[in-house]
Amino acid sequence: MAWLTFGRLRPVHVNGVIWGAFSTLFIGLCHWVVPRLCGVRLWREGGSWVLLAVWNVNLAAAAGLLLAGHNRGWEAGELPLGNVLVLFAVLVALTVQMLMTIRRRTETPLYVSLWYLIAALVWTDANLVLLMVGPDHLPGINNAAWHGLFIHYIVGLWITPAGYVLIYYFLPASIRAPIYSHRLSLIGFWSLAFFYPFVGIHHYLYSPIADWAETIAIVSSMMLIVPVWTVLQNFFGTMIGRWGGLGRNLPAKFLIVGSVMYLIGCFQGSVQALRSLQEPTHFTDFVVAHSHLTIFGTFIMWAVAGVLYVWPKLAGAPLASFRLANWGFWLTTLGIGSMALVLSAQGLLQGFMLMGGAEFVDTVVTIRPYWWVRTLTGLSMDAGLSLLVLALMKTSWRRRAAA
Ligand code: HEM
């Protein structure tokens, strides 16, 4: 049963979330957002069906190969080379499709979502070239340094700008209000472009990588407060005077809860990048709390918001059951919120035990009860997402029955 071991399941989970869950939802939602922001149909839209098929077959094959033990050794970059090449080909094709659509647009302004879309696609095409050559061709400690950059380009130059594409479109659309400040959008975009490229080495603090390079990563990690707080100010500013209808507006509710988690998750990120706090948190579940708060708590929540907005419109019917979907919202939110809390607590406990000289295995035994709670929080997220899917399916079934 080697394929059921943690070393094989974990890369399936990590790559499944990055490419399977978030990216697939994002690419699908771009097919709604981009034509609307450009005022034209997508360039060569028939080609999207081919990309969809290749993308999904490739991910299924990659999952099988990872379970069979293939692994290129870079965290979040474990996919076999053949799968990386296909992923790259699909993303380049998608980049060309989106750029050609933007070029032929009839809407004069280039909306904020489109700046982020162009940036996310171009940066990630380049980052995938690094993934093709990096693991096998970079010697020694440089391999680790480049891996730090690669993994942070996945979260900072793919998932982050892609998530911004979604919230910058779906927040104003779902509450029917313009975005709060164009100037803040500009500051957010350029500060992300300027600071993110330097932060990756904060994954390797206290390593043999040169101290000055680690210090640059730490300073840049602090500076990330600028893009994070400016975009958040823009989202919460957009809500001014419109909080009233939030309770029954599911897409907006997911977007706002995701934004609160973004604030907490990024604050946690900035503090754990400091050498003094890196000591008790590295190699502990504190980091796992951070990664789940940001990737699930923020970006998956934002993507789900987009789906909840688009699906009923595509189905041509209102959401079949608000009650069901609202239960889905609460179970998901409470699940991820309490998961972040319990993982942070057990991470700090483990970290301070390790600093006090405890054996690693003793720390694992101590935090065992916390893992039971964590499992329950995960089940709550599973149940919440399942209810949401059920509500969406019911919407389509009801429409079909009516037809
Ligand atoms: C102000 C923003 C952020 C800062 C300063 C920051 C900082 C950090 C640091 C220092 C670590 C390494 C912790 C360690 O290994 O000890 C880390 C890990 C991680 N961060 Fe962030 N982060 C930020 C935002 C984000 C966002 C927005 C995402 C997701 C899109 C994200 C995803 C992750 C993930 C997945 C890991 C775990 C990587 C691993 O397992 O080794 N972070 N972050």
Side-chain angles (χ1 to χ4, degrees), residues 71-210:
N71 189 320
R72 292 182 76 223
W74 266 17
E75 187 195 356
E78 295 92 346
L79 298 187
L81 186 58
N83 300 111
V84 178
L85 289 171
V86 178
L87 204 73
F88 176 70
V90 174
L91 273 189
V92 169
L94 199 76
T95 310
V96 173
Q97 190 187 31
M98 296 298 164
L99 288 179
M100 287 303 290
T101 309
I102 292 171
R103 187 166 164 237
R104 292 148 56 98
R105 75 187 189 281
T106 52
E107 291 282 334
T108 325
L110 188 64
Y111 290 105
V112 190
S113 287
L114 296 178
W115 313 341
Y116 281 113
L117 176 71
I118 297 170
L121 287 169
V122 173
W123 283 331
T124 304
D125 291 341
N127 195 27
L128 285 180
V129 176
L130 173 58
L131 177 59
M132 285 176 214
V133 291
D136 303 323
H137 293 94
L138 292 161
I141 194 64
N142 288 339
N143 195 296
W146 279 100
H147 168 255
L149 294 175
F150 161 78
I151 192 170
H152 225 86
Y153 293 161
I154 290 288
V155 297
L157 300 184
W158 174 240
I159 298 179
T160 300
Y164 288 175
V165 172
L166 302 181
I167 185 161
Y168 265 113
Y169 177 85
F170 288 112
L171 186 62
S174 60
I175 61 165
R176 295 171 192 277
I179 202 78
Y180 175 67
S181 158
H182 181 69
R183 186 169 301 169
L184 281 180
S185 314
L186 275 170
I187 298 173
F189 181 86
W190 288 110
S191 53
L192 179 127
F194 188 73
F195 295 126
Y196 247 108
F198 300 107
V199 303
I201 289 172
H202 68 204
H203 291 267
Y204 288 100
L205 300 177
Y206 290 113
S207 73
I209 296 172

